[in-house]
């Protein structure tokens, strides 16, 4: 090896407690080393070519070799010279390219940097409340980042992107002639502006440049490389340029680099509207709410805010809603290596775009983890099917679909109840959307559409639609159509495709669903008496069904129901709806008794107490055995959850959302345990 002196320096960057306490400095191949080299005026030696081969002409055996081959070769040469003490493996934190899976080698290069514009204005916009982050905790993160900005490297060596708006030509040397060894740069939004800057520069310093404009090549017309030599010779002949020395002919070229994609993206709020042209579309700037991932708060959001202030002196939006990354069902980050990536296009092909949209909305708790799975998306595809079937139900009963209708005036308790549910749902959805709780809006619409409309109202309406009371039938038909329309309107922002399709099935519509007016009704639609009565009925049916299922009463078996006390309101609710209750809960009779018998399931209701006698309905011994096995399995789950929560390391290191999810799982499992214990105790009484 050729002899070379290596300077030894002292710098605060070095951690003397780490390793030997000494650090090798390569200013051309490490950011920290470069900064150390700047402080100590170290020579910058680039030992790598752009293709990863070694730039070391002083050592021919290594020069031009691939970097990894050169390392092995250098070790061999040191060993041959008796200078190699030992070779050992160790772990380091060298970065790898996520796409190419190769070691990243920093290299020194010439790049364009931008001093961030309008930093104060963009920071003040958040601190003054002009722009709000949701969740609010991101404001401190944003302020911390804005307070520690470094100049932005905005140039990239790529084949695509907005080209750097800089042209270059030769400098003017001390002798007044062109110096082609060093570039002079001219910035402009187009070639004409850059050319004007070049004219000013060359006219001021070149005494021979009376007609300087004719010597500058318009690269927009000739090509990216400026005038070629043949073209220059032609111009000399045809325009009498022979009086100009050949070295003074000026070539203007454009920098081949492109802008960092985040620079271009930073212009998005107004660049997409036609800026810098002042057209009709620009009236849509500033925007309203920006929804994006929290991982690009700095890359995109902050830069849009600075660009908006720097270019148009306006904030580009007033609210920034930041959601987490979409993860798999276990909460793990999706990666090709893990094989847990869910391709949205595949999900759309299989389950439809609406199912995927609803899945995303249902997960979008403010600041919560977005866990997605194919089963979840499939479930919301089934929800879309349920909505479709509700319209098929209306067709089955030949209910006219005339189009836009007003809320009907009703007298039936059932219809009063469902209209009130529509009003409560609209208020709940609006409250959720106003506070960016998209998951609450989705869950409310799901519970209303599937639960209240499809599971209950459609079932409750069958006796009326099949009955002989024409007035009640017509009222229920009108109510059903209006309720289905309101469901479409409220679901449309989340599920636009199926709702627009169903909306179009009407005979006539004043406008498409996307243009329909958002409703303004609310709790004013609620009839308190009807609401109380129908919810009492639903609660009784639900509780009977739940208790039957818990102890495996055969689904088709009709059971007796008893009660010990029942007030006038409860009795009226039973009398008005006993046909529905008996049909949907599979109840054969209701009788009054003085005291509930042993093994009877107690069903407390507002205004009374019901009971479900089990004797003779099930195999008691077999059911107790089944429940005890379920208890054993549940006990293992509870032990695992309790052990995890008692572990101080888990409590200290687990993310807040994981800790909350574990606590909720424990609560649900404990509730299930209590229910099984109670069921076993009841059955034991029959033994």
């Amino acid at each position: 090896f050729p002899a070379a002196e290596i300077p030894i320096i002292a710098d605060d960057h070095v951690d003397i407690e780490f390793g030997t306490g000494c650090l090798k400095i390569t200013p051309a191949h490490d950011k920290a080393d470069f900064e150390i080299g700047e402080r100590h005026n170290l020579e910058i030696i680039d030992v790598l070519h752009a293709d990863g081969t070694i730039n070391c002409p002083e050592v021919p055996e290594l020069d031009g070799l691939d970097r990894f081959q050169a390392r092995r070769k250098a070790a061999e040469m040191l060993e041959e010279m008796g200078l190699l003490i030992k070779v050992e493996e160790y772990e380091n934190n060298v970065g790898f390219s996520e796409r190419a899976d190769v070691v990243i080698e920093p290299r020194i290069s010439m790049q364009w940097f931008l001093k961030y514009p309008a930093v104060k204005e963009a920071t003040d916009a958040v601190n003054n409340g002009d722009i709000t982050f949701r969740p609010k905790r991101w404001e401190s993160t944003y302020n911390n980042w804005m307070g520690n900005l470094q100049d932005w490297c905005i140039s990239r060596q790529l084949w695509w992107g907005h080209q750097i708006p800089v042209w270059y030509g030769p400098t003017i040397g001390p002798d007044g002639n062109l110096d082609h060894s060093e570039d002079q740069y001219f910035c402009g939004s187009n070639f004409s502006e850059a050319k004007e800057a070049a004219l000013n520069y060359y006219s001021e310093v070149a005494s021979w440049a009376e007609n300087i404009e004719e010597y500058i090549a318009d690269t927009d017309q000739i090509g990216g490389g400026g005038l070629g030599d043949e073209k220059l010779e032609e111009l000399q002949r045809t325009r009498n340029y022979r009086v100009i020395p050949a070295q003074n002919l000026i070539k203007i070229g454009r920098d081949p680099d492109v802008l960092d994609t985040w620079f271009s993206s930073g212009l998005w709020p107004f660049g997409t509207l036609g800026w810098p042209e002042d057209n009709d579309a620009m009236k849509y700037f500033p925007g309203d709410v920006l929804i994006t991932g929290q991982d690009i708060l700095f890359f995109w959001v902050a830069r849009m805010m600075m660009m908006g202030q720097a270019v148009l002196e306006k904030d580009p939006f007033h609210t920034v809603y930041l959601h987490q990354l979409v993860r798999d069902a276990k909460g793990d980050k999706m990666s090709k290596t893990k094989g847990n990536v869910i391709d949205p296009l595949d999900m759309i092909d299989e389950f439809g775009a609406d199912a995927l949209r609803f899945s995303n909305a249902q997960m979008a708790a403010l600041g919560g983890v977005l866990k997605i799975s194919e089963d979840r998306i499939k479930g919301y595809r089934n929800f879309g099917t349920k909505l479709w079937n509700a319209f098929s139900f209306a067709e089955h009963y030949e209910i006219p679909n005339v189009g836009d209708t007003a809320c009907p005036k009703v007298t039936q308790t059932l219809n009063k109840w469902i209209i009130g549910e529509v009003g409560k749902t609209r208020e709940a959805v609006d409250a959720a959307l106003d506070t960016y709780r998209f998951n609450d809006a989705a869950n409310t619409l799901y519970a209303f559409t599937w639960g209240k409309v499809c599971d209950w109202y459609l079932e409750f309406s069958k006796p009326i639609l099949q009955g002989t009371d024409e007035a009640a039938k017509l009222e229920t038909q009108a109510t059903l159509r209006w309720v289905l329309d309101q469901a479409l309107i409220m679901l449309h922002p989340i599920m636009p495709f199926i709702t627009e399709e169903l909306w179009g099935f009407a005979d006539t519509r004043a406008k498409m669903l996307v243009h329909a007016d958002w409703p303004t009704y609310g709790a004013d639609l609620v009839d308190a008496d009807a609401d109380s009565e129908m919810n009492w009925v639903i609660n009784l049916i639900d509780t009977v069904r739940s208790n039957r299922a818990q102890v495996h009463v055969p689904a088709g078996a009709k059971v007796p129901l008893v009660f010990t006390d029942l007030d006038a309101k409860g009795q009226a609710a039973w009398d008005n709806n006993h046909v529905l209750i008996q049909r949907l809960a599979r109840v054969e009779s209701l009788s009054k008794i003085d005291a509930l018998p042993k093994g009877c399931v107690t069903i407390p209701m507002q205004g009374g107490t019901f009971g479900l006698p089990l004797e003779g309905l099930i195999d008691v011994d077999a059911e107790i055995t089944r429940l005890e096995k379920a208890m054993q399995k549940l006990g293992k789950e509870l032990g695992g959850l309790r052990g995890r929560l008692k572990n101080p390391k888990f409590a200290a290191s687990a993310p807040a959302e994981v800790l909350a999810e574990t606590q909720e799982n424990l609560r649900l499992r404990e509730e299930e345990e209590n229910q099984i214990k109670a069921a076993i105790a009841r059955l034991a009484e029959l033994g």
Side-chain angles (χ1 to χ4, degrees), residues 364-419:
L366 197 60
V369 178
L370 302 179
K371 298 180 183 179
I372 197 165
S373 68
E374 185 171 330
D375 287 342
R376 184 188 293 269
I377 300 168
K378 182 179 179 180
Y380 290 119
R381 186 274 310 273
N382 296 342
F383 174 61
T385 302
K386 192 76 170 179
L387 179 64
W388 191 278
N389 288 342
F391 280 78
S392 297
F393 175 93
E395 286 186 13
H396 173 75
Y397 283 97
E398 298 180 348
I399 301 175
N401 190 2
V402 295
D404 305 304
T405 58
C407 180
K409 304 295 183 181
V410 296
T411 59
Q412 299 290 312
T413 299
L414 173 63
N415 294 330
K416 290 179 180 179
W417 165 75
I418 194 62
I419 287 174

Side-chain angles (χ1 to χ4, degrees), residues 32-84:
D33 290 5
F34 177 80
E35 293 171 353
I36 294 172
E38 289 278 281
R39 287 195 290 271
H40 298 276
N41 297 316
L42 298 181
E43 183 181 1
I44 297 176
I45 303 173
D46 191 348
V47 301
L48 282 173
H49 292 294
D51 61 357
T53 57
I54 297 299
N55 173 30
C56 187
E58 297 86 353
V59 184
E61 295 90 341
L62 302 179
D63 191 40
L65 286 181
D66 175 81
R67 51 184 166 156
F68 298 112
Q69 294 175 345
R71 287 169 186 167
R72 291 192 292 270
K73 181 65 176 177
E76 293 172 4
M77 294 172 67
L78 289 170
E79 188 171 23
E80 291 172 1
M81 299 169 66
L83 300 175
L84 186 64

Side-chain angles (χ1 to χ4, degrees), residues 282-585:
M282 283 298 292
K283 68 184 178 184
Y284 295 107
F285 180 85
D288 190 14
V289 179
L290 175 75
I291 300 179
T292 189
Q294 62 189 37
D295 56 319
I296 54 175
L297 169 60
F298 314 130
F299 293 114
W300 191 35
V301 179
R303 286 162 175 167
M304 282 192 287
M305 292 163 64
M306 288 185 279
M307 295 287 196
Q309 281 291 344
V311 177
L312 296 172
E313 297 183 350
K314 293 180 180 179
D315 297 320
F317 28 71
H318 64 69
T319 301
V320 179
Y321 177 94
L322 296 166
H323 61 74
Q324 292 202 21
L325 293 175
V326 178
R327 299 177 180 271
D328 69 8
K330 297 179 180 178
D332 295 332
K333 185 178 180 181
M334 293 187 192
S335 98
K336 292 181 181 178
T337 305
K338 291 182 179 179
N340 63 344
V341 175
I342 295 178
D343 190 326
L345 295 179
D346 291 341
M347 295 299 98
I348 291 171
D349 287 342
E350 187 166 359
F351 303 115
D354 282 337
L356 181 61
R357 287 170 62 97
F358 204 96
S359 298
N360 282 318
Q362 192 275 333
M363 293 185 297
L366 197 60
V369 178
L370 302 179
K371 298 180 183 179
I372 197 165
S373 68
E374 185 171 330
D375 287 342
R376 184 188 293 269
I377 300 168
K378 182 179 179 180
Y380 290 119
R381 186 274 310 273
N382 296 342
F383 174 61
T385 302
K386 192 76 170 179
L387 179 64
W388 191 278
N389 288 342
F391 280 78
S392 297
F393 175 93
E395 286 186 13
H396 173 75
Y397 283 97
E398 298 180 348
I399 301 175
N401 190 2
V402 295
D404 305 304
T405 58
C407 180
K409 304 295 183 181
V410 296
T411 59
Q412 299 290 312
T413 299
L414 173 63
N415 294 330
K416 290 179 180 179
W417 165 75
I418 194 62
I419 287 174
E421 289 296 325
V422 173
K424 289 191 287 186
T425 299
R426 202 285 304 168
E427 281 195 352
V429 169
D430 272 25
L433 294 178
D434 288 344
T435 53
Y436 305 96
R437 293 179 286 109
F438 302 114
N439 61 311
D440 288 345
N443 289 333
T444 298
L445 288 167
Y446 184 93
F448 166 72
T449 305
W450 191 307
K452 298 296 173 62
V453 177
C454 297
D455 280 357
W456 294 114
Y457 181 66
L458 297 187
E459 286 298 321
F460 288 168
S461 68
K462 285 179 181 178
I464 300 176
L465 296 174
Q466 295 167 357
T468 58
D469 186 336
E470 289 301 318
K473 185 184 295 187
L474 290 173
E475 177 189 301
T476 303
Q477 289 180 344
T479 302
L480 176 57
R481 277 299 179 195
W482 182 81
V483 168
L484 291 178
D485 271 4
Q486 303 317 298
L488 293 183
I489 292 171
M490 289 187 282
L491 280 167
H492 187 67
I494 304 178
M495 305 182 81
F497 301 105
I498 188 173
T499 53
E500 190 72 74
E501 181 75 6
L502 290 170
W503 182 264
F505 284 173
D507 295 337
T508 59
R509 292 284 191 194
K511 59 185 79 171
M512 291 178 64
L513 177 54
V514 70
H515 298 138
D517 296 331
W518 190 257
T520 57
Y521 51 70
D524 54 296
L525 297 183
V526 176
D527 183 296
D529 291 336
D531 187 69
S532 175
E533 179 175 318
M534 295 311 302
N535 283 320
W536 187 94
V537 171
I538 290 171
N539 187 26
L540 179 58
I541 295 172
D542 240 356
T543 308
V544 172
R545 284 175 169 179
S546 176
N547 282 289
R548 287 175 58 123
Q550 190 179 55
V551 292
H552 278 200
V553 173
K558 289 193 173 183
V559 300
L561 199 61
V562 298
F563 70 97
T564 57
D565 58 286
L566 192 60
D567 65 12
K569 197 171 184 180
Q571 186 66 58
W574 172 270
D575 293 341
N576 294 338
N577 302 279
H578 70 90
V579 174
L580 293 174
I581 298 170
Q582 289 181 252
R583 181 164 65 89
L584 296 177

